[in-house]
Amino acid sequence: MTREVLAIGPRSPPITGPGLKNRYIQSGLEDHGLDVTWVNTLETRPKTVVDILSKTLSYDAYILSASTKVRLGVAPLLATKLRAPDTHGALFPAGGEFADELRAMPGPLRQFYCRTFSTFDGVYPQTDELSRDLRALFDDSVQVRTVPNLRPLPERAASDTGGPSDTLRLAYVGRIKESKGLDDLLSAYERATDAGTDVVLDIYGHFLPDDPYEDRFLDRCSQLPGARFHGKLPNEDVIPTLQDADAFMFPTVYDGEGFPGALVEAFAAGCPVLATDWNFNADIVTDGVDGRLFDPHDVAALSSHIEELADDPALLSDLQDGARQTGRQYSVERVTAGIIENLDASGWDLPEPTVERSRTVEPM
């Protein structure tokens, strides 16, 4: 019976999107009776390499949940073990570029890595579109199933967040960089306010070191009344803060966008998402149900959606209800239960859960 698992990949702290996802995966799997030892690739590289080399000798079940560099570096090492009988592996590729990375490799290298990743019992990307792309690259012996991002549900009920406000409250939480579409967001916000819309915009996040975009963004933001930049928001405050907002802004055009944890946090908070139809966003946001989609860089469309929410409280309320319903699909409880089902279906002999699972997991 599989009880002890070695997992490799980033695990928060420090706070990163993949690191948070892995932290919640570990918590959920341990609730199901697995003893998960996690080698945290966010730590110093020499220590991490020594941990991986020493610990792979003594385990028969492995999870690799990482992005490109770690995935390509560690998978060949694990493949040697995974070819042995009664040894199991699960691959959770972080980000949205896994299939594109494989297709871009020269033929012999692509064949090598496809054979390497095929030694895992299952490959579990975060979106349905990624799953379809990967099924075309692997043979039928590899189970490819979607496992979305996940977050704990908030303990504070939506009814505790206060009454409705005449002012539409918009929020963005995430990295502050040009490819996140923040110039488009500020332009759409300005256009909506110029049209007389009663709206405020709160932006939370951090800049990359020495990014020249920082000065330009701060200058632009300071010129717009009601647009407020607050700096980085502690992770434990993200969902409570979004519960006090009416809608979440996600105008990204970032090439590496996969299944952003920020969208899961917005849904958990009951915040509908106004997002670009970019990469996998349409797999996550259902237009007219839990948010609105618009074409990248379409400032007029985003501004129109903002005005629509401000002018139609009934629509806003319906979208907020839809967001809360969607958020339940990405709870730690539900997603990790799906992981257990996938592992069991791929041949892992798993123990029964050791504790009664709760609705929430304490955030960091």
Side-chain angles (χ1 to χ4, degrees):
M1 178 174 289
T2 302
R3 287 191 180 274
E4 296 185 347
V5 179
L6 179 67
I8 301 168
R11 184 192 182 282
S12 296
I15 301 300
T16 67
L20 281 173
K21 173 189 173 183
N22 287 340
R23 178 178 182 269
Y24 296 132
I25 286 177
Q26 180 178 4
S27 173
L29 295 180
E30 288 176 343
D31 281 353
H32 279 273
L34 297 178
D35 181 6
V36 182
T37 298
W38 205 286
V39 178
N40 185 4
T41 57
L42 292 175
E43 296 177 350
T44 56
R45 181 169 296 177
K47 179 181 184 299
T48 301
V49 172
V50 170
D51 277 352
I52 293 172
L53 290 175
S54 62
K55 290 177 179 176
T56 50
L57 300 176
S58 55
Y59 285 81
D60 295 318
Y62 301 90
I63 289 174
L64 177 58
S65 182
S67 53
T68 305
K69 290 182 180 179
V70 174
R71 189 164 59 226
L72 297 181
V74 173
L77 175 64
L78 293 184
T80 303
K81 282 282 293 186
L82 294 175
R83 291 187 177 96
D86 300 320
T87 305
H88 299 287
L91 174 64
F92 295 83
E97 299 178 301
F98 186 29
D100 289 340
E101 290 166 359
L102 290 173
R103 282 193 290 260
M105 291 178 178
L109 186 61
R110 181 173 64 251
Q111 292 172 10
F112 167 77
Y113 271 107
C114 283
R115 288 195 302 269
T116 295
F117 292 126
S118 293
T119 61
F120 289 81
D121 302 308
V123 179
Y124 306 109
Q126 294 184 107
T127 71
D128 291 336
E129 185 177 341
L130 264 176
S131 291
R132 290 190 292 270
D133 288 345
L134 290 172
R135 288 190 190 104
L137 291 168
F138 296 119
D139 60 40
D140 293 338
S141 66
V142 182
Q143 180 192 78
V144 180
R145 294 185 181 176
T146 303
V147 172
N149 211 330
L150 70 168
R151 288 294 188 273
L153 294 176
E155 294 185 0
R156 183 177 66 159
S159 59
D160 297 333
T161 61
S165 169
D166 291 335
T167 301
L168 183 70
R169 300 161 298 182
L170 309 178
Y172 169 86
V173 180
R175 187 170 292 174
I176 308 297
K177 57 188 295 187
E178 189 169 7
S179 61
K180 289 293 187 175
L182 295 174
D183 288 339
D184 294 334
L185 173 57
L186 293 176
S187 295
Y189 171 79
E190 182 179 31
R191 183 169 178 151
T193 56
D194 286 348
T197 304
D198 187 3
V199 59
V200 294
L201 172 62
D202 291 298
I203 297 175
Y204 304 86
H206 65 283
F207 298 92
L208 296 174
D210 303 318
D211 186 352
Y213 180 65
E214 179 174 354
D215 290 338
R216 180 155 56 89
F217 169 81
L218 292 175
D219 180 64
R220 178 87 169 99
C221 194
S222 68
Q223 297 176 28
L224 298 176
R228 303 168 292 205
F229 175 64
H230 302 275
K232 187 174 182 179
L233 189 64
N235 181 68
E236 64 271 15
D237 293 339
V238 171
I239 291 178
T241 297
L242 292 180
Q243 285 184 295
D244 292 328
D246 293 313
F248 184 78
M249 304 290 101
F250 198 67
T252 184
V253 288
Y254 171 52
D255 285 336
E257 212 73 77
F259 194 135
L263 299 189
V264 183
E265 290 162 339
F267 288 141
C271 252
V273 176
L274 304 188
T276 44
D277 189 358
W278 178 262
N279 278 17
F280 309 104
N281 286 350
D283 269 5
I284 305 163
V285 179
T286 303
D287 189 71
V289 175
D290 49 32
R292 300 292 273 167
L293 294 169
F294 58 94
D295 290 336
H297 299 304
D298 192 339
V299 170
L302 176 54
S303 177
S304 177
H305 289 319
I306 292 171
E307 294 171 30
E308 177 185 47
L309 295 185
D311 293 340
D312 192 341
L315 172 64
L316 176 60
S317 179
D318 287 345
L319 292 176
Q320 289 171 334
D321 288 342
R324 279 186 284 272
Q325 291 291 332
T326 299
R328 295 188 182 100
Q329 299 176 23
Y330 305 128
S331 69
V332 171
E333 178 182 36
R334 181 163 181 168
V335 173
T336 54
I339 292 173
I340 290 294
E341 290 178 6
N342 288 331
L343 297 181
D344 189 57
S346 66
W348 293 48
D349 183 16
L350 300 172
E352 292 296 320
T354 57
V355 299
E356 183 178 350
R357 295 178 58 77
S358 61
R359 288 186 65 254
T360 61
V361 173
E362 285 296 320
M364 295 187 65

